[in-house]
Amino acid sequence: MGSFAETHPGGYGVEMLILFTGILSALLTRLQIRADPWLGLTAPPRADRWHSVPTPSSGGLAIFLSCAATYWLAFPGRYPRIAWAVAALWIFGFLDDRLRFRPALKLAVQVTAAGFVVLGGVVFPATPWYLPNVALSMFWMVMITNAFNLIDNMDGLCAGVVIVICLFRSWLLASQGYRADADLCAILAAAFAGFLVFNYHPARIFMGDCGSLPAGFALGALTLAGPAPHKGLLLTGFLYPALTFAYPIFDTALVSALRKLTGRPISRGGRDHSSHRLASQGLNQRQVVWILWLLTAFGSSLGIMIHWMPDALFAAGGLLLVLLGTFALSLATLPGYPRPELSRFRRRDVAAGGSRQACA
C-alpha cells in the first residue's frame, strides 16, 4: 500500500493535508507561547543577539510536530534516512537551545547526520568518482544546515526564506510531474507559514536551533535526493540548488569572510550579518526581511530559469555574481563596522611593533 500522496496524486485530499499542516503548526505555536511560563523555553536578551526582550524560543517544536504528523499520514517511508536525520537534528537542536553546545560538537553531529543520509544513497553525481561525490554531498548538507542556522537572526527571516525556497521548488517539481516530492515541499512551507504568523516582527516566539538546524538539513538533503537537480547537464544540475540557496550561502560566506578578515572567530555569533548591516542603514526589521525574502526569490527564479534553459547558464550566473558581489562590497564597507583591510593592517603593525620591542 502506497503513501497517501501516491494514492491521491494532486488530489483534494493532499491540499487539505497541506492546509491542515499550516493550521496545526499555528495552533501548536500559539499553544507553546501560552505555555512558555510553564515550559520555561525563553530566550533572554544577549549582546550578540538582535532581540531586546525575553521571548519564547524553540518554536521548532511546533514546526516539527506538525510536519511529522502530516509526514506520517501522507509520506510514510519516503526518504526514511532523511526523516530520521532530521528528527535527530531536531532533538539535538532542542538540547542545544538549552545547553548551548560548542560549535565543534554541533559540526560533528551535522557531519554524522549527513553521513547517515549519504550511506543511504543520497549522493549528487558531481564527478565521475564516488568518493569525491560523497564528500561534496556531505559538505553540501552541512553547509546548508549551518547557513540556515546563521540566517535565523531576525524576526521572520529564516522562516520566510524556507517558505520561499519550498514554494519555488514545489512548483518546479509539480510542473515536471513529481507530485509527491512537490507536496512534501508544500507541506514544509505550510508548517513554517503557520509558525511565521507568530514569528513575524514583532516576534512572539523564535524557532531556535530545533527549528533552523532541521530546516536547513531537510532542504539541503531533499534537494540532492529529489529528481529535479539531476536533469540535463551536470553543471546546470549543480547550479540549480546553488542559486536556489543563493541568499543563505551568500550570508554565510559574507559573515565568515568578514569575521576572518577582522580577526574574529567565525563560530562566534554577533550582529554582523547582512540583515543587521541593512538595519544599520535605518531600515526597519520588516523592510530588511522583505528585501532578503525577495533576494531569495530572485535566486530561486534564476535557478529555475537555468534548469529550464541551460543556454542561459553563464548569463544568469554572471548576473547574480555581479549583483551579489556589489551587494557584499557595499555591506562590508558600511560605517559602524570594522573594515577588513584596516583590521588586517593593524594586526600586522601590532605584531611588528611587538617584535621590535622584543629585539630592543
Side-chain angles (χ1 to χ4, degrees), residues 47-274:
D48 61 342
R49 293 293 182 261
W50 194 247
H51 67 286
S52 57
V53 296
T55 305
S57 186
S58 295
L61 290 171
I63 297 171
F64 178 83
L65 291 174
S66 59
C67 281
T70 308
Y71 175 84
W72 180 76
L73 288 171
F75 306 96
R78 192 168 193 83
Y79 303 127
R81 287 194 173 238
I82 295 177
W84 282 112
V86 167
L89 283 173
W90 171 65
I91 295 171
F92 178 80
F94 179 77
L95 295 175
D96 185 45
D97 288 338
R98 312 275 70 77
L99 304 175
R100 297 181 62 185
F101 295 125
R102 292 182 178 181
L105 178 58
K106 294 175 70 172
L107 180 61
V109 171
Q110 293 167 28
V111 170
T112 302
F116 176 73
V117 170
V118 164
L119 288 175
V122 180
V123 179
F124 184 77
T127 73
W129 305 283
Y130 178 72
L131 289 181
N133 291 340
V134 166
L136 288 172
S137 298
M138 291 181 62
F139 173 76
W140 168 263
M141 285 184 271
V142 171
M143 177 186 66
I144 296 300
T145 302
N146 278 287
F148 277 83
N149 189 226
L150 288 173
I151 66 170
D152 184 27
N153 57 58
M154 188 170 282
D155 294 355
L157 177 57
C158 184
V161 169
V162 172
I163 294 168
V164 171
I165 290 174
C166 284
L167 289 179
F168 272 89
R169 182 157 172 75
S170 178
W171 178 85
L172 176 61
L173 290 166
S175 68
Q176 295 185 321
Y178 301 111
R179 199 63 229 185
D181 289 86
D183 291 337
L184 187 57
C185 289
I187 282 170
L188 283 173
F192 279 88
F195 171 77
L196 184 60
V197 172
F198 302 96
N199 184 236
Y200 192 60
H201 184 73
R204 300 174 60 186
I205 189 171
F206 302 143
M207 72 170 64
D209 281 4
C210 67
S212 60
L213 290 178
F217 189 89
L219 288 175
L222 287 172
T223 302
L224 297 185
H230 306 292
K231 177 184 176 182
L233 299 175
L234 181 61
L235 188 57
T236 60
F238 174 76
L239 283 180
Y240 162 70
L243 291 174
T244 300
F245 294 93
Y247 169 64
I249 294 173
F250 166 79
D251 186 75
T252 302
L254 177 71
V255 170
S256 299
L258 293 180
R259 287 178 182 175
K260 187 69 174 178
L261 290 173
T262 53
R264 294 183 54 208
I266 295 176
S267 59
R268 181 181 297 173
R271 301 184 179 189
D272 57 347
H273 291 266
S274 55

